[in-house]
Amino acid sequence: MTEMNEKNEICETCPLKGSCPDQGSEEAVTCMADEIDGIKHKIIVASGKGGVGKSTVSVNLARALQLEGYKVGILDADITGPNIPKLLGIEDQGLVQGADGIKPADAGGIKVASMALVLSRQDSPVVWRGPMKMAAIKQFIQDVTWGGLDYLIIDLPPGTSDEPLSVAQLIPDLSGAIIVTTPQEVALLDTRKAVNMVRAMKLPVIGIIENMAGLACPHCHQRIDIFQSGGGERMAEEMNVRFLGSIPIDPRICSLGDAGQTFVEGEAPAADSFRLIVERLENILR
Ligand code: ADP
């Protein structure tokens, strides 16, 4: 294939086709390359619906990998609900334009790019239409100086609409997707769609994580299955997808998240479960 055909093919399959100012030009060819090409594993974290803990999994996965000595970044691709900076306690940072590109924010060693770091006020809604959102993501991919990362965790917008699909299609050479669900049937219904969305992109589903799987009663220590139990594992089996593990409900996950801290480094059953999940993941990607 000639270089020109290759360029055209990149533009042809790009979700920004028709609205990109660089279409067909030299800039378009290099648009998705360079920085992001130097990253070993690019993993999307997706969910069939919001509120299941997708962003919580993203930041704790990033922290766990970083604690193991890997170089890690997070691309918060949830343009309208960018919560990663809040969960990592870096809302007061911004993205700075340097000589070589946009310098990512730093969350104790994790590099972060998020729309929340660009907005002047945390409570400002992002009311952009599709092409503008895609252009912002494209800029994060193209212009952020990620450096040679081992892992880039990409927190996708929730759901299975056009938006998560288009965002994922913008990022070249993805390693695969982790799908986060909760155990109850209504969530699983949407999670099946998320698995099919990833398959439609011809991407490997690395595995399913079941979050909010039971709560240990602080008084009697009996497990209470608030959102049922075992649904994620059954569904994974049914859909022939790897089950990575489950994380119980733990009120500290919520309070630490609100305080901008991760829970994975702590001493708790939820942290133990999460570390096991990360271990499995590393073995799969090795
Ligand atoms: P999503 O990204 O899927 O919308 P979030 O990661 O923002 O979901 O999580 C939604 C809320 O649930 C947050 O307040 C988070 O701290 C809390 N949360 C997530 N997982 C757990 C858990 N296992 N136990 C307790 N709270 C959790």
Side-chain angles (χ1 to χ4, degrees):
M1 194 188 283
T2 66
E3 201 189 330
M4 190 42 102
N5 280 344
E6 236 172 89
K7 287 177 195 177
N8 289 339
E9 195 155 296
I10 290 168
C11 291
E12 234 5 80
T13 53
C14 178
L16 287 178
K17 189 181 163 203
S19 60
C20 173
D22 299 334
Q23 196 159 327
S25 71
E26 201 58 43
E27 286 74 20
V29 193
T30 50
C31 77
M32 300 302 178
D34 299 340
E35 278 294 331
I36 205 145
D37 277 354
I39 299 172
K40 282 193 202 129
H41 304 288
K42 285 166 262 177
I43 299 171
I44 54 175
V45 181
S47 65
K49 59 196 257 153
V52 297
K54 173 179 57 62
S55 300
T56 302
V57 164
S58 294
V59 295
N60 282 281
L61 175 59
R63 181 66 75 213
L65 291 167
Q66 186 225 2
L67 289 172
E68 299 226 357
Y70 294 109
K71 285 189 249 158
V72 186
I74 303 186
L75 169 58
D76 186 358
D78 192 347
I79 295 285
T80 36
N83 290 334
I84 297 293
K86 168 77 186 152
L87 290 171
L88 287 172
I90 54 162
E91 315 99 290
D92 55 343
Q93 293 190 30
L95 296 180
V96 182
Q97 181 71 49
D100 308 328
I102 301 170
K103 197 170 171 294
D106 183 304
I110 301 173
K111 294 182 177 174
V112 184
S114 166
M115 210 53 218
L117 300 167
V118 182
L119 298 170
S120 50
R121 280 167 52 98
Q122 286 300 312
D123 50 4
S124 311
V126 179
V127 286
W128 299 351
R129 292 186 193 281
M132 282 177 76
K133 291 189 211 167
M134 290 306 128
I137 298 282
K138 187 179 160 188
Q139 212 181 357
F140 286 161
I141 299 166
Q142 177 184 348
D143 293 342
V144 171
T145 50
W146 292 107
L149 297 180
D150 296 305
Y151 287 93
L152 180 67
I153 310 297
I154 300 134
D155 191 48
L156 272 200
T160 48
S161 69
D162 191 38
E163 195 170 311
L165 192 72
S166 303
V167 167
Q169 282 172 340
L170 270 179
I171 304 162
D173 302 322
L174 286 167
S175 316
I178 292 174
I179 298 174
V180 183
T181 186
T182 46
Q184 73 273 42
E185 195 47 47
V186 279
L188 294 172
L189 204 66
D190 295 322
T191 306
R192 288 184 183 91
K193 290 186 207 157
V195 171
N196 288 329
M197 175 183 81
V198 173
R199 284 179 171 159
M201 288 188 276
K202 310 245 177 307
L203 267 185
V205 178
I206 299 170
I208 289 184
I209 297 178
E210 184 186 67
N211 188 25
M212 308 193 190
L215 164 81
C217 170
H219 308 293
C220 69
H221 305 292
Q222 293 278 344
R223 178 179 157 131
I224 309 164
D225 287 324
I226 294 178
F227 299 125
Q228 316 272 13
S229 77
E233 187 161 14
R234 278 196 301 277
M235 194 269 289
E237 201 177 323
E238 194 187 293
M239 295 203 77
N240 208 11
V241 178
R242 202 180 283 111
F243 183 66
L244 292 171
S246 38
I247 310 160
I249 296 175
D250 182 338
R252 278 166 298 184
I253 294 182
C254 186
S255 51
L256 284 168
D258 282 354
Q261 290 168 33
T262 47
F263 73 88
V264 68
E265 56 271 62
E267 295 295 320
D272 292 342
S273 308
F274 201 87
R275 287 193 288 262
L276 260 180
I277 290 172
V278 178
E279 218 177 284
R280 277 185 203 131
L281 188 71
E282 278 181 79
N283 286 332
I284 293 163
L285 294 172
R286 193 160 283 150

